[in-house]
Amino acid sequence: METRFILSLWVFSQLGAVLGDSVRSNEPEVSGAEGDTVTLSCSYETSYTAGVYLYWYRQYPNRAPQYILLRGTREVSSVSDTAGFSQERFSSQANDSATVLSIRALELADTAVYLCALRLAQ
Ligand SMILES: *[C@@H]1O[C@H](CO)[C@@H](O)[C@H](O)[C@H]1NC(C)=O
């Protein structure tokens, strides 16, 4: 029997956001089986036009959030950083309205709460 893992996606916070900005997850839960590729996404709106940094974290129960990666948009679109543990299986794209996190070769240990956050590039 195939076991399916549930990856919960929560919106973490809006770091440095100003009034009118918002960020939300597009699906609260994504599931997949071992070896699958899954994609999580968050949409956002901001009145700040110079660009934002979009962060992804994951969190295990009773642990601090673990940083996965960040991507910049617009004026900071050349900014990109990925934690060592996530370089092989995690990838992300960000544009003016959304960020996606793809996880390939899904493992049981990927079962966690995933958080997206945005920070204005100022
Ligand atoms: C931004 O990315 C999302 C997710 O990949 C996609 O659905 C959307 O169409 C893209 N928007 C633009 C303006 O490219």
Side-chain angles (χ1 to χ4, degrees):
M1 201 181 74
E2 183 184 77
T3 307
R4 295 189 72 78
F5 315 140
I6 308 292
L7 290 76
S8 296
L9 179 59
W10 287 2
V11 176
F12 177 31
S13 65
Q14 309 164 56
L15 306 170
V18 294
L19 205 64
D21 295 342
S22 70
V23 56
R24 64 182 182 279
S25 72
N26 294 329
E27 299 154 281
E29 271 187 6
V30 171
S31 72
E34 193 159 18
D36 281 357
T37 296
V38 293
T39 300
L40 311 178
S41 66
C42 274
S43 296
Y44 72 94
E45 283 171 35
T46 179
S47 50
Y48 187 69
T49 55
V52 297
Y53 298 108
L54 292 152
Y55 290 77
W56 283 95
Y57 290 81
R58 70 178 176 186
Q59 189 165 24
Y60 294 107
N62 304 315
R63 303 284 291 272
Q66 178 181 31
Y67 165 76
I68 301 171
L69 54 75
L70 80 83
R71 298 288 182 265
T73 68
R74 296 205 170 189
E75 288 175 12
V76 291
S77 59
S78 61
V79 177
S80 166
D81 181 68
T82 305
F85 82 89
S86 54
Q87 284 179 356
E88 227 168 82
R89 295 189 301 113
F90 292 71
S91 60
S92 179
Q93 262 125 39
N95 64 23
D96 280 348
S97 58
T99 176
V100 297
L101 179 74
S102 296
I103 311 172
R104 62 171 201 83
L106 203 63
E107 299 171 355
L108 182 57
D110 294 327
T111 302
V113 173
Y114 287 77
L115 313 160
C116 60
L118 79 79
R119 180 164 68 89
L120 304 185
Q122 57 191 356

